[in-house]
Amino acid sequence: MKKLFKLLPFFFMAVLGSVMLSCSDDDDDPIPADELPVAAKTFLNTYYPSIKIVSTTKDKNEYDVVLANGHSVDFTKDGEWKDVEAPVGQTIPSGFYPAEIDTYIASSAGGAGINEIQKTARGYEVELVTGADLLFDSDGVFLQYDRD
């Protein structure tokens, strides 16, 4: 019986390690930036023309790019942007989402800059540098403040 109690912690560690490995969803593989789809390269050259790419990873359905200025951009497998995020307190560039979003923010949110924008099934989720989260439809029409 003493042997069993001595081996029990090792058994639990083995089980815990197996569970942790099986739950890992980090299937990202590093790739060279020149392997990004053309649309992703065009986006980066247009909106981040002089910013160096620090890392580029690919998983089954998307590409993740981290830039030297701390910004990150997620792209679909076709190279269309799906999420653009700046470090806390910084703003992302504009022009790749509907201009109506900037117009609304200028008139109703004190002109606060956008810290993150994400495409969703409904349209766009926008986080301002102030921390406020706003929802817009696919045409850039304001829907509501996100309460989540």
Side-chain angles (χ1 to χ4, degrees):
M1 191 70 155
K2 285 185 177 182
K3 274 187 172 179
L4 178 63
F5 283 116
K6 286 182 180 178
L7 294 175
L8 202 53
F10 295 108
F11 173 75
F12 283 120
M13 292 298 286
V15 169
L16 182 62
S18 297
V19 169
M20 289 176 64
L21 284 174
S22 67
C23 291
S24 174
D25 65 352
D26 190 16
D27 295 334
D28 293 351
D29 295 317
I31 63 166
D34 62 353
E35 289 185 19
L36 287 169
V38 172
K41 289 185 216 177
T42 301
F43 179 93
L44 293 169
N45 289 332
T46 302
Y47 298 103
Y48 293 99
S50 60
I51 308 298
K52 184 179 188 259
I53 294 175
V54 173
S55 73
T56 307
T57 56
K58 177 185 179 189
D59 70 12
K60 296 175 192 112
N61 295 315
E62 69 178 42
Y63 297 89
D64 300 318
V65 176
V66 177
L67 303 168
N69 63 356
H71 290 220
S72 63
V73 185
D74 295 342
F75 296 99
T76 65
K77 65 181 178 179
D78 298 323
E80 298 298 319
W81 74 272
K82 60 186 257 182
D83 186 78
V84 180
E85 183 175 6
V88 174
Q90 294 184 23
T91 60
I92 62 169
S94 61
F96 57 91
Y97 51 84
E100 290 78 8
I101 293 174
D102 284 332
T103 302
Y104 178 84
I105 291 170
S107 65
S108 301
I114 296 175
N115 181 251
E116 180 179 8
I117 188 166
Q118 180 179 28
K119 285 185 188 177
T120 67
R122 289 180 66 190
Y124 302 92
E125 289 182 14
V126 173
E127 180 182 330
L128 302 179
V129 294
T130 61
D133 294 319
L134 295 79
L135 300 175
F136 295 86
D137 71 12
S138 58
D139 295 322
V141 175
F142 176 74
L143 297 173
Q144 67 185 34
Y145 280 90
D146 188 6
R147 310 264 187 253
D148 292 336

PDB file of all heavy atoms in Angstrom, residues 44-45 47-54 66-71:
ATOM      1  N   LEU A  44      -0.519  45.192 -45.394  1.00  0.00           N
ATOM      2  CA  LEU A  44       0.625  45.619 -44.572  1.00  0.00           C
ATOM      3  C   LEU A  44       1.429  46.714 -45.258  1.00  0.00           C
ATOM      4  O   LEU A  44       1.848  47.683 -44.621  1.00  0.00           O
ATOM      5  CB  LEU A  44       1.510  44.417 -44.239  1.00  0.00           C
ATOM      6  CG  LEU A  44       0.856  43.383 -43.315  1.00  0.00           C
ATOM      7  CD1 LEU A  44       1.683  42.112 -43.267  1.00  0.00           C
ATOM      8  CD2 LEU A  44       0.629  43.952 -41.924  1.00  0.00           C
ATOM      9  N   ASN A  45       1.637  46.596 -46.563  1.00  0.00           N
ATOM     10  CA  ASN A  45       2.382  47.622 -47.296  1.00  0.00           C
ATOM     11  C   ASN A  45       1.622  48.938 -47.370  1.00  0.00           C
ATOM     12  O   ASN A  45       2.226  50.006 -47.413  1.00  0.00           O
ATOM     13  CB  ASN A  45       2.720  47.136 -48.707  1.00  0.00           C
ATOM     14  CG  ASN A  45       3.777  46.066 -48.707  1.00  0.00           C
ATOM     15  OD1 ASN A  45       4.619  46.002 -47.816  1.00  0.00           O
ATOM     16  ND2 ASN A  45       3.737  45.190 -49.695  1.00  0.00           N
ATOM     17  N   TYR A  47      -0.959  50.033 -45.051  1.00  0.00           N
ATOM     18  CA  TYR A  47      -1.279  50.647 -43.762  1.00  0.00           C
ATOM     19  C   TYR A  47      -0.123  50.647 -42.763  1.00  0.00           C
ATOM     20  O   TYR A  47      -0.172  51.368 -41.766  1.00  0.00           O
ATOM     21  CB  TYR A  47      -2.518  49.983 -43.168  1.00  0.00           C
ATOM     22  CG  TYR A  47      -3.701  50.192 -44.069  1.00  0.00           C
ATOM     23  CD1 TYR A  47      -4.165  49.175 -44.892  1.00  0.00           C
ATOM     24  CD2 TYR A  47      -4.305  51.440 -44.162  1.00  0.00           C
ATOM     25  CE1 TYR A  47      -5.227  49.386 -45.756  1.00  0.00           C
ATOM     26  CE2 TYR A  47      -5.358  51.664 -45.020  1.00  0.00           C
ATOM     27  CZ  TYR A  47      -5.818  50.632 -45.817  1.00  0.00           C
ATOM     28  OH  TYR A  47      -6.853  50.851 -46.693  1.00  0.00           O
ATOM     29  N   TYR A  48       0.902  49.850 -43.032  1.00  0.00           N
ATOM     30  CA  TYR A  48       2.099  49.821 -42.187  1.00  0.00           C
ATOM     31  C   TYR A  48       3.337  49.793 -43.080  1.00  0.00           C
ATOM     32  O   TYR A  48       4.163  48.892 -42.985  1.00  0.00           O
ATOM     33  CB  TYR A  48       2.074  48.569 -41.285  1.00  0.00           C
ATOM     34  CG  TYR A  48       0.981  48.587 -40.262  1.00  0.00           C
ATOM     35  CD1 TYR A  48      -0.217  47.898 -40.464  1.00  0.00           C
ATOM     36  CD2 TYR A  48       1.141  49.281 -39.069  1.00  0.00           C
ATOM     37  CE1 TYR A  48      -1.217  47.906 -39.500  1.00  0.00           C
ATOM     38  CE2 TYR A  48       0.146  49.292 -38.105  1.00  0.00           C
ATOM     39  CZ  TYR A  48      -1.029  48.598 -38.330  1.00  0.00           C
ATOM     40  OH  TYR A  48      -2.012  48.606 -37.376  1.00  0.00           O
ATOM     41  N   PRO A  49       3.486  50.787 -43.948  1.00  0.00           N
ATOM     42  CA  PRO A  49       4.526  50.719 -44.982  1.00  0.00           C
ATOM     43  C   PRO A  49       5.962  50.658 -44.486  1.00  0.00           C
ATOM     44  O   PRO A  49       6.796  50.014 -45.109  1.00  0.00           O
ATOM     45  CB  PRO A  49       4.290  51.986 -45.799  1.00  0.00           C
ATOM     46  CG  PRO A  49       3.595  52.926 -44.874  1.00  0.00           C
ATOM     47  CD  PRO A  49       2.764  52.053 -43.975  1.00  0.00           C
ATOM     48  N   SER A  50       6.264  51.277 -43.392  1.00  0.00           N
ATOM     49  CA  SER A  50       7.659  51.308 -42.957  1.00  0.00           C
ATOM     50  C   SER A  50       7.886  50.538 -41.656  1.00  0.00           C
ATOM     51  O   SER A  50       8.932  50.669 -41.033  1.00  0.00           O
ATOM     52  CB  SER A  50       8.120  52.759 -42.785  1.00  0.00           C
ATOM     53  OG  SER A  50       7.311  53.392 -41.812  1.00  0.00           O
ATOM     54  N   ILE A  51       6.915  49.725 -41.260  1.00  0.00           N
ATOM     55  CA  ILE A  51       7.020  48.981 -40.003  1.00  0.00           C
ATOM     56  C   ILE A  51       7.475  47.551 -40.309  1.00  0.00           C
ATOM     57  O   ILE A  51       6.885  46.860 -41.132  1.00  0.00           O
ATOM     58  CB  ILE A  51       5.672  48.947 -39.254  1.00  0.00           C
ATOM     59  CG1 ILE A  51       5.104  50.354 -39.088  1.00  0.00           C
ATOM     60  CG2 ILE A  51       5.836  48.249 -37.915  1.00  0.00           C
ATOM     61  CD1 ILE A  51       5.944  51.295 -38.282  1.00  0.00           C
ATOM     62  N   LYS A  52       8.519  47.151 -39.611  1.00  0.00           N
ATOM     63  CA  LYS A  52       9.093  45.821 -39.809  1.00  0.00           C
ATOM     64  C   LYS A  52       8.190  44.745 -39.205  1.00  0.00           C
ATOM     65  O   LYS A  52       7.610  44.931 -38.142  1.00  0.00           O
ATOM     66  CB  LYS A  52      10.473  45.763 -39.150  1.00  0.00           C
ATOM     67  CG  LYS A  52      11.210  44.476 -39.352  1.00  0.00           C
ATOM     68  CD  LYS A  52      12.586  44.535 -38.683  1.00  0.00           C
ATOM     69  CE  LYS A  52      13.398  43.342 -39.049  1.00  0.00           C
ATOM     70  NZ  LYS A  52      13.490  42.319 -38.115  1.00  0.00           N
ATOM     71  N   ILE A  53       8.097  43.611 -39.888  1.00  0.00           N
ATOM     72  CA  ILE A  53       7.367  42.458 -39.369  1.00  0.00           C
ATOM     73  C   ILE A  53       8.288  41.704 -38.416  1.00  0.00           C
ATOM     74  O   ILE A  53       9.408  41.340 -38.775  1.00  0.00           O
ATOM     75  CB  ILE A  53       6.895  41.545 -40.519  1.00  0.00           C
ATOM     76  CG1 ILE A  53       5.866  42.283 -41.378  1.00  0.00           C
ATOM     77  CG2 ILE A  53       6.336  40.235 -39.966  1.00  0.00           C
ATOM     78  CD1 ILE A  53       5.432  41.523 -42.613  1.00  0.00           C
ATOM     79  N   VAL A  54       7.816  41.475 -37.194  1.00  0.00           N
ATOM     80  CA  VAL A  54       8.598  40.780 -36.181  1.00  0.00           C
ATOM     81  C   VAL A  54       8.357  39.271 -36.263  1.00  0.00           C
ATOM     82  O   VAL A  54       9.275  38.481 -36.174  1.00  0.00           O
ATOM     83  CB  VAL A  54       8.254  41.303 -34.769  1.00  0.00           C
ATOM     84  CG1 VAL A  54       8.935  40.476 -33.699  1.00  0.00           C
ATOM     85  CG2 VAL A  54       8.632  42.758 -34.648  1.00  0.00           C
ATOM     86  N   VAL A  66       2.802  40.028 -36.213  1.00  0.00           N
ATOM     87  CA  VAL A  66       3.163  40.980 -35.162  1.00  0.00           C
ATOM     88  C   VAL A  66       4.205  41.922 -35.752  1.00  0.00           C
ATOM     89  O   VAL A  66       5.177  41.489 -36.370  1.00  0.00           O
ATOM     90  CB  VAL A  66       3.725  40.263 -33.913  1.00  0.00           C
ATOM     91  CG1 VAL A  66       4.159  41.281 -32.873  1.00  0.00           C
ATOM     92  CG2 VAL A  66       2.693  39.309 -33.340  1.00  0.00           C
ATOM     93  N   LEU A  67       3.967  43.218 -35.564  1.00  0.00           N
ATOM     94  CA  LEU A  67       4.841  44.243 -36.125  1.00  0.00           C
ATOM     95  C   LEU A  67       5.758  44.830 -35.049  1.00  0.00           C
ATOM     96  O   LEU A  67       5.481  44.733 -33.851  1.00  0.00           O
ATOM     97  CB  LEU A  67       3.992  45.343 -36.755  1.00  0.00           C
ATOM     98  CG  LEU A  67       3.030  44.847 -37.845  1.00  0.00           C
ATOM     99  CD1 LEU A  67       2.029  45.924 -38.206  1.00  0.00           C
ATOM    100  CD2 LEU A  67       3.788  44.373 -39.059  1.00  0.00           C
ATOM    101  N   ALA A  68       6.824  45.462 -35.489  1.00  0.00           N
ATOM    102  CA  ALA A  68       7.829  46.023 -34.572  1.00  0.00           C
ATOM    103  C   ALA A  68       7.252  47.109 -33.661  1.00  0.00           C
ATOM    104  O   ALA A  68       7.773  47.339 -32.575  1.00  0.00           O
ATOM    105  CB  ALA A  68       9.012  46.570 -35.368  1.00  0.00           C
ATOM    106  N   ASN A  69       6.190  47.777 -34.074  1.00  0.00           N
ATOM    107  CA  ASN A  69       5.584  48.816 -33.242  1.00  0.00           C
ATOM    108  C   ASN A  69       4.593  48.247 -32.219  1.00  0.00           C
ATOM    109  O   ASN A  69       3.916  48.992 -31.523  1.00  0.00           O
ATOM    110  CB  ASN A  69       4.913  49.882 -34.095  1.00  0.00           C
ATOM    111  CG  ASN A  69       3.763  49.351 -34.919  1.00  0.00           C
ATOM    112  OD1 ASN A  69       3.479  48.151 -34.925  1.00  0.00           O
ATOM    113  ND2 ASN A  69       3.108  50.232 -35.645  1.00  0.00           N
ATOM    114  N   GLY A  70       4.493  46.909 -32.152  1.00  0.00           N
ATOM    115  CA  GLY A  70       3.602  46.268 -31.194  1.00  0.00           C
ATOM    116  C   GLY A  70       2.216  45.974 -31.730  1.00  0.00           C
ATOM    117  O   GLY A  70       1.435  45.294 -31.071  1.00  0.00           O
ATOM    118  N   HIS A  71       1.895  46.474 -32.901  1.00  0.00           N
ATOM    119  CA  HIS A  71       0.591  46.200 -33.488  1.00  0.00           C
ATOM    120  C   HIS A  71       0.555  44.753 -33.964  1.00  0.00           C
ATOM    121  O   HIS A  71       1.579  44.184 -34.325  1.00  0.00           O
ATOM    122  CB  HIS A  71       0.327  47.121 -34.675  1.00  0.00           C
ATOM    123  CG  HIS A  71       0.114  48.550 -34.286  1.00  0.00           C
ATOM    124  ND1 HIS A  71      -0.832  49.347 -34.867  1.00  0.00           N
ATOM    125  CD2 HIS A  71       0.735  49.342 -33.376  1.00  0.00           C
ATOM    126  CE1 HIS A  71      -0.797  50.551 -34.340  1.00  0.00           C
ATOM    127  NE2 HIS A  71       0.159  50.572 -33.423  1.00  0.00           N
TER     128      HIS A  71
END
